[in-house]
Structure formats: C-alpha cells, structure tokens
C-alpha cells in the first residue's frame, strides 16, 4: 500500500470518527455521559449527607423524620433557585450572544431592592410586616416580569430594534433604581434600615417556603418550555441572519426567550434575594465541561453543577463552620472571581 493510500485511509477513518451531532466524537459522547453521571451521583451524595449529618436520633424514627423534613425544605429551595438561575443565564447568554453577561444586568435585582426599600420607606418595618407576604411576593414577581416585558417590547420592536441598546438601557435603568434605593435608605430610621438590609442579601435561610407550592409549578412550566424550545436556542445562537434563513422568526423567538428568562429570574430573586454571579458561575463551568452547542446537554449540566456547588457550600457553612448566613456571599465571591478570570481571558471561553 502506497503512502498516499495510507493517508487517504487515515483521513477516512478520522472522518468516520467525528460526528455531526452534539458530540464531536464517540469519546466526546462518553466523556459527557461520565460527567453527567458523576454530577448526578455527587448531587445524590451531598443531599443524603445534608439530610443525615448530625441527626443523632434513631434512623427513621419520628424525631429523625422531623429533622430530615426540616432540612428537605432547604434542599428544595436550593434546587429551585439553581434551576432558575441555570436555565435563565444560559438562555440569556445564548439570546444575547454574549457569555460574560447575566440576566441581572437588566435591572432585576435593582428593581427588587427598590421595591423592598420603597415598602419599608413608606410603610415602615411594622407596616411591611402587616402586608400579606404572598401578596408582596406576587407584587414583586409581577413588577419584575412586567418591567422586563415592557423593556423588551419597547427596545426590540422599536426603531432601535437591537439587543445592544436594550442591554445598555437595562444597565442605565438598573443604576438609576440603585441610586434611588440608596437615597431612600439614607433617610430610614437605623432600626428600619437593619430590617431592610436583612432582606437585601440573598439567603437560603430567609426563603419563605410557604410559597413553594406556587413557585415550583411556575418554574417547572417555564423551564420545561425552555427545554422543549432548546433546539430553537441552538439555531438562535447562530445569529439573526442565519436563524432567519433557517425559518426561525428571530425577533419573535428572542422576545419569547427573554420573557421566560424574566419569569425565572423574578421567581428566584423574590424567593431568596439577589444572587448576581451564581448563574454566571454555573453557565461558565457548564460550557467548559460539556464543550457542545446543544442546549439539551448544557442545561442539565449547568443545573447539576449549581446544585452541587450551592449544596456543598450550604453544608460546609452550616454544619462545619457555622456561618450559614454567609453561604450566598461566599458563592457570589467565587462567582465574581470566575467572572474576572473570564474577562481577562475573553475570547477563549
């Protein structure tokens, strides 16, 4: 066999090895499945550890179940928050074609802070407590979704009609609401200010679990819709011109995806408070690990990564270091550091 024939055979073998689907090769597919299985096993292990650690009562006794049930609520909150943050961030970054921004840039957290500050400013700490908690929760969610939808509708269907203007306006509005919140906070009574500050930090322990009956179905429906439309996200990621040529109404699909993102972010922020860099951390690690364009592979990995990270942090800071209130602060610090690394390596991730 000549050298040319050998080279052609090698090229043919390499061509057969590579795939045209979400995996570059059979080895790539195997690696993804191994990573997914490892994340599922890790999530199950840390969940069991969190439920059983320090529970000294007889296994499966009434008191043992009582303590475990109390811990289940924290696990459900963590799973819900990471689900919302993962799907919202990956979808938002795909739609905006930018992997260094998060939905928080659109002013969701600034609006949340402004609403909390306004309630305490006008009604006082006692007046805020007298308002129906569920009514206040629905008001926050509704205002956030309405704010986002109006912003998208105005900027994406108007004469500007591009995402970059929308992002810039979102940043400016967020800064403006932040300044107004700071102005009102400076005029508050110190005691009322302390009550307010406790609500402005993202905290798993502060989540009102009485609302989970409402939050979980809404998040499941919204996340399920994103999952069913994930193939459209693959096309949207190709850009406006290519997706339009492939038969996708780009602007309409972008509006739909951003609305779904706003619902998830409103639910997450209203439930536990602002968490700026958690979604970015989850999405960035998921992109690096999966190394694929297919959102049906990226989304579950991002969720599992977020769940493992936040649950491990919650376990360590609650049962080892007794700093449970610092869970989201530590996670946000790590996410911020990862954000800086990505900024310095922009173009490589």
């Amino acid at each position: 066999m000549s050298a040319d024939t050998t080279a052609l055979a090698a090229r043919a073998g390499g061509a057969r090895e590579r795939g045209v689907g979400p995996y570059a090769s059979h080895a790539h597919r195997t690696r993804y499945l191994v990573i997914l299985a490892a994340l599922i096993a890790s999530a199950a292990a840390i969940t069991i550890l969190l439920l059983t650690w320090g529970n000294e009562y007889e296994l499966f006794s009434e008191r043992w179940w009582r303590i475990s049930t109390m811990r289940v609520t924290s696990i459900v909150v963590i799973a819900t928050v990471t689900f919302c943050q993962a799907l919202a961030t990956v979808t938002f970054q795909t739609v905006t074609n930018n992997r260094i921004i998060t939905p928080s840039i659109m002013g969701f957290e600034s609006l949340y802070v402004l609403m909390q500050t306004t309630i305490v400013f006008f009604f006082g700490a006692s007046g805020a407590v007298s308002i129906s908690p569920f009514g206040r929760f629905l008001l926050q969610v509704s205002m956030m979704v309405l704010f986002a939808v109006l912003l998208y509708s105005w900027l994406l269907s108007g004469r500007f009609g591009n995402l970059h203007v929308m992002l810039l306006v979102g940043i400016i509005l967020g800064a403006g609401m932040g300044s107004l919140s700071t102005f009102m906070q400076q005029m508050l009574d110190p005691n009322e200010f302390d009550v307010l500050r406790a609500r402005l930090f993202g905290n798993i322990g502060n989540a009102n679990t009485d609302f989970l009956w409402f939050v979980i179905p809404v998040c499941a429906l919204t996340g399920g819709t994103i999952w069913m439309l994930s193939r459209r996200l693959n096309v949207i990621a190709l850009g406006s011109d290519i997706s339009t040529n492939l038969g996708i109404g780009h602007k309409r699909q972008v509006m739909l995806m951003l609305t779904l993102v706003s619902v998830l972010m409103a639910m997450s922020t209203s439930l536990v408070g602002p968490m700026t860099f958690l979604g970015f951390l989850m999405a960035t690690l998921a992109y690096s690990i999966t190394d694929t364009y297919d959102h049906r592979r990226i989304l579950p990995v991002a969720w599992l990564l977020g769940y493992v990270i936040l649950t491990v942090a919650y376990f360590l800071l609650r049962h080892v270091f007794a700093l449970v209130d610092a869970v989201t602060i530590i996670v946000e610090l790590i996410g911020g550091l990862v954000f800086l690394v990505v900024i310095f390596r922009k173009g490589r991730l």
Side-chain angles (χ1 to χ4, degrees), residues 155-188:
L155 294 176
L156 291 181
S157 60
R159 65 187 182 91
F160 299 105
N162 67 75
L163 288 167
H164 297 94
V165 174
M166 183 192 72
L167 294 175
L168 290 174
V169 172
I171 294 173
I172 294 172
L173 290 177
M177 288 186 289
S179 299
L180 181 59
S181 300
T182 303
F183 175 73
M184 288 191 292
Q185 289 171 11
Q186 290 178 343
M187 293 188 292
L188 289 176

Side-chain angles (χ1 to χ4, degrees), residues 91 110 115 141 174 226 301 314 330 332:
T91 302
S110 299
M115 292 183 64
V141 172
I226 292 177
V301 170
Y314 183 80
I330 300 299
E332 291 290 277

Side-chain angles (χ1 to χ4, degrees), residues 39 78-87 90 282-283 286 298-309:
L39 286 174
I78 292 174
T80 303
V81 169
T82 52
F83 178 83
C84 294
Q85 292 280 343
L87 270 67
V90 172
M282 298 157 64
I298 298 173
L299 292 174
V301 170
W303 180 23
L304 288 170
L305 278 169
Y307 178 81
V308 171
I309 291 172

Side-chain angles (χ1 to χ4, degrees), residues 2-164:
S2 64
D4 294 339
T5 305
T6 304
L8 289 173
R11 292 175 185 175
R16 285 194 300 270
E17 182 182 355
R18 288 192 59 84
V20 294
Y23 306 111
S25 62
H26 179 71
H28 183 198
R29 180 177 183 274
T30 302
R31 183 172 68 89
Y32 174 83
L33 294 177
V34 169
I35 291 173
L36 185 63
L39 286 174
I40 293 174
S42 300
I46 189 61
T47 300
I48 295 173
L49 185 63
L50 185 60
L51 289 174
T52 58
W53 184 270
N55 193 344
E56 300 177 354
Y57 294 104
E58 183 181 352
L59 191 65
F60 302 128
S61 65
E62 181 182 354
R63 292 185 176 181
W64 186 91
W65 278 114
R66 187 179 304 170
I67 294 177
S68 298
T69 302
M70 293 173 61
R71 296 178 179 181
V72 165
T73 56
S74 298
I75 293 174
V76 173
V77 170
I78 292 174
T80 303
V81 169
T82 52
F83 178 83
C84 294
Q85 292 280 343
L87 270 67
T89 304
V90 172
T91 302
F92 187 80
Q93 291 181 348
T94 298
V95 168
T96 57
N97 195 24
N98 192 319
R99 291 188 175 183
I100 63 172
I101 60 177
T102 66
S104 301
I105 200 173
M106 297 305 300
F108 287 104
E109 296 177 356
S110 299
L111 180 59
Y112 172 82
V113 172
L114 178 61
M115 292 183 64
Q116 294 288 343
T117 304
T118 301
I119 291 174
V120 175
F121 182 81
F122 287 104
F123 299 100
S126 58
V129 173
S130 64
I131 301 175
S132 170
F134 186 65
R136 186 170 64 245
F137 179 83
L138 283 181
L139 178 63
Q140 292 171 359
V141 172
S142 301
M143 289 294 294
M144 290 180 189
V145 175
L146 181 62
F147 166 78
V149 171
L150 290 177
L151 185 62
Y152 303 153
S153 302
W154 171 44
L155 294 176
L156 291 181
S157 60
R159 65 187 182 91
F160 299 105
N162 67 75
L163 288 167
H164 297 94

